[in-house]
Amino acid sequence: MEKEIMPLRNYAHIGDAIWEVFVRDYTILQTSNSKILHKITTDRVKASFQKEMLEYLAPTLTEEEQELARRGRNLPIPVARRSIQHEYRPATAFEVLIGYWYIHDKARLNTIFDIFKQTEWFN
Protein backbone atom coordinates (compact mmCIF):
# COMPACT_ATOMS: atom_id res chain seq x y z
CA MET A 1 0.00 0.00 0.00
CA GLU A 2 1.44 3.37 -0.99
CA LYS A 3 1.74 6.33 1.31
CA GLU A 4 -1.30 8.51 1.35
CA ILE A 5 -0.82 11.80 -0.44
CA MET A 6 -3.93 13.67 0.68
CA PRO A 7 -6.09 14.01 3.77
CA LEU A 8 -8.34 11.05 4.56
CA ARG A 9 -11.42 13.25 4.19
CA ASN A 10 -10.45 13.77 0.52
CA TYR A 11 -10.25 10.01 -0.04
CA ALA A 12 -13.71 9.70 1.53
CA HIS A 13 -15.02 12.45 -0.75
CA ILE A 14 -13.90 10.74 -3.96
CA GLY A 15 -14.71 7.31 -2.53
CA ASP A 16 -18.32 8.36 -2.00
CA ALA A 17 -18.59 9.40 -5.65
CA ILE A 18 -16.89 6.25 -6.97
CA TRP A 19 -19.15 4.05 -4.85
CA GLU A 20 -22.24 5.81 -6.18
CA VAL A 21 -21.08 5.32 -9.77
CA PHE A 22 -20.50 1.62 -9.06
CA VAL A 23 -24.00 1.32 -7.58
CA ARG A 24 -25.60 3.27 -10.43
CA ASP A 25 -23.80 1.07 -12.94
CA TYR A 26 -25.44 -1.88 -11.21
CA THR A 27 -28.91 -0.30 -10.95
CA ILE A 28 -29.24 0.63 -14.61
CA LEU A 29 -29.18 -3.07 -15.41
CA GLN A 30 -32.04 -3.78 -13.00
CA THR A 31 -34.89 -1.65 -14.35
CA SER A 32 -35.80 1.33 -16.48
CA ASN A 33 -38.32 2.60 -13.94
CA SER A 34 -36.84 5.81 -12.51
CA LYS A 35 -38.59 5.43 -9.16
CA ILE A 36 -37.20 1.92 -8.69
CA LEU A 37 -33.74 3.03 -9.93
CA HIS A 38 -33.72 5.74 -7.28
CA LYS A 39 -34.82 3.34 -4.53
CA ILE A 40 -32.23 0.69 -5.42
CA THR A 41 -29.49 3.33 -5.59
CA THR A 42 -30.36 5.15 -2.36
CA ASP A 43 -30.64 1.83 -0.50
CA ARG A 44 -27.00 1.09 -1.39
CA VAL A 45 -25.34 4.47 -1.03
CA LYS A 46 -26.63 5.23 2.47
CA ALA A 47 -24.39 5.00 5.52
CA SER A 48 -26.03 1.88 6.99
CA PHE A 49 -25.40 -0.10 3.78
CA GLN A 50 -21.81 1.13 3.50
CA LYS A 51 -21.29 0.03 7.11
CA GLU A 52 -22.50 -3.47 6.12
CA MET A 53 -20.13 -3.49 3.16
CA LEU A 54 -17.17 -2.60 5.38
CA GLU A 55 -18.11 -5.37 7.81
CA TYR A 56 -18.39 -7.81 4.90
CA LEU A 57 -14.95 -6.78 3.58
CA ALA A 58 -13.22 -6.79 6.97
CA PRO A 59 -11.83 -10.34 6.73
CA THR A 60 -10.27 -9.59 3.33
CA LEU A 61 -8.51 -6.36 4.32
CA THR A 62 -4.75 -6.23 4.72
CA GLU A 63 -3.26 -4.82 7.91
CA GLU A 64 -2.54 -1.54 6.12
CA GLU A 65 -6.12 -1.34 4.83
CA GLN A 66 -7.45 -2.09 8.32
CA GLU A 67 -5.34 0.76 9.67
CA LEU A 68 -6.58 3.12 6.97
CA ALA A 69 -10.19 2.14 7.79
CA ARG A 70 -9.55 2.63 11.51
CA ARG A 71 -8.21 6.11 10.88
CA GLY A 72 -11.16 6.87 8.58
CA ARG A 73 -13.58 5.80 11.33
CA ASN A 74 -11.90 8.22 13.71
CA LEU A 75 -12.29 11.32 11.53
CA PRO A 76 -14.27 14.13 13.18
CA ILE A 77 -18.01 13.82 12.63
CA PRO A 78 -20.14 16.72 11.38
CA VAL A 79 -22.66 17.84 14.00
CA ALA A 80 -25.60 16.81 11.79
CA ARG A 81 -24.32 13.21 11.66
CA ARG A 82 -23.65 12.70 15.36
CA SER A 83 -27.00 11.03 15.96
CA ILE A 84 -26.05 8.24 13.54
CA GLN A 85 -22.34 8.06 14.26
CA HIS A 86 -22.54 4.26 14.73
CA GLU A 87 -23.34 4.14 10.98
CA TYR A 88 -21.58 7.27 9.78
CA ARG A 89 -18.12 6.39 11.14
CA PRO A 90 -17.83 2.97 9.43
CA ALA A 91 -19.38 4.40 6.24
CA THR A 92 -16.70 7.08 6.19
CA ALA A 93 -14.04 4.41 6.69
CA PHE A 94 -15.54 2.48 3.77
CA GLU A 95 -15.47 5.59 1.56
CA VAL A 96 -11.84 6.27 2.56
CA LEU A 97 -10.89 2.78 1.38
CA ILE A 98 -12.80 3.10 -1.89
CA GLY A 99 -11.19 6.50 -2.54
CA TYR A 100 -7.74 5.28 -1.62
CA TRP A 101 -8.01 2.29 -3.93
CA TYR A 102 -9.38 4.47 -6.71
CA ILE A 103 -6.41 6.86 -6.47
CA HIS A 104 -3.63 4.35 -5.74
CA ASP A 105 -4.71 0.80 -6.62
CA LYS A 106 -7.43 0.40 -9.24
CA ALA A 107 -6.69 -3.32 -9.53
CA ARG A 108 -7.55 -3.77 -5.84
CA LEU A 109 -10.66 -1.61 -6.27
CA ASN A 110 -11.80 -3.78 -9.17
CA THR A 111 -11.17 -6.90 -7.09
CA ILE A 112 -13.34 -5.44 -4.31
CA PHE A 113 -16.07 -4.54 -6.79
CA ASP A 114 -15.93 -8.09 -8.17
CA ILE A 115 -16.36 -9.42 -4.62
CA PHE A 116 -19.45 -7.24 -4.18
CA LYS A 117 -20.91 -8.35 -7.52
CA GLN A 118 -20.92 -11.92 -6.22
CA THR A 119 -22.98 -11.12 -3.12
CA GLU A 120 -26.74 -11.24 -2.69
CA TRP A 121 -26.71 -7.42 -2.53
CA PHE A 122 -25.62 -7.14 -6.17
CA ASN A 123 -27.05 -10.24 -7.84
Side-chain angles (χ1 to χ4, degrees), residues 7-112:
L8 292 179
R9 184 80 60 204
N10 293 20
Y11 287 118
H13 181 75
I14 192 69
D16 179 52
I18 298 306
W19 177 249
E20 185 161 350
V21 168
F22 170 74
V23 169
R24 284 176 181 251
D25 188 50
Y26 160 77
T27 60
I28 62 169
L29 301 174
Q30 304 306 305
T31 183
S32 60
N33 180 306
S34 61
K35 195 174 199 177
I36 295 171
L37 280 172
H38 178 74
K39 171 88 169 104
I40 294 170
T41 301
T42 56
D43 283 350
R44 286 166 179 77
V45 298
K46 64 185 178 182
S48 60
F49 188 81
Q50 291 176 338
K51 175 187 175 206
E52 282 184 57
M53 295 298 91
L54 181 64
E55 290 169 356
Y56 182 79
L57 279 183
T60 69
L61 297 178
T62 66
E63 285 184 33
E64 293 86 5
E65 291 166 344
Q66 290 172 11
E67 176 62 14
L68 192 59
R70 182 196 65 76
R71 291 178 48 229
R73 263 192 307 276
N74 290 331
L75 287 171
I77 295 180
V79 173
R81 303 282 196 269
R82 289 197 179 142
S83 64
I84 58 163
Q85 68 177 305
H86 66 283
E87 291 175 349
Y88 186 80
R89 285 182 181 278
T92 301
F94 177 76
E95 291 169 351
V96 166
L97 287 170
I98 297 294
Y100 186 89
W101 291 324
Y102 177 75
I103 298 293
H104 299 291
D105 193 350
K106 287 192 175 62
R108 176 72 167 141
L109 178 63
N110 288 329
T111 298
I112 296 301

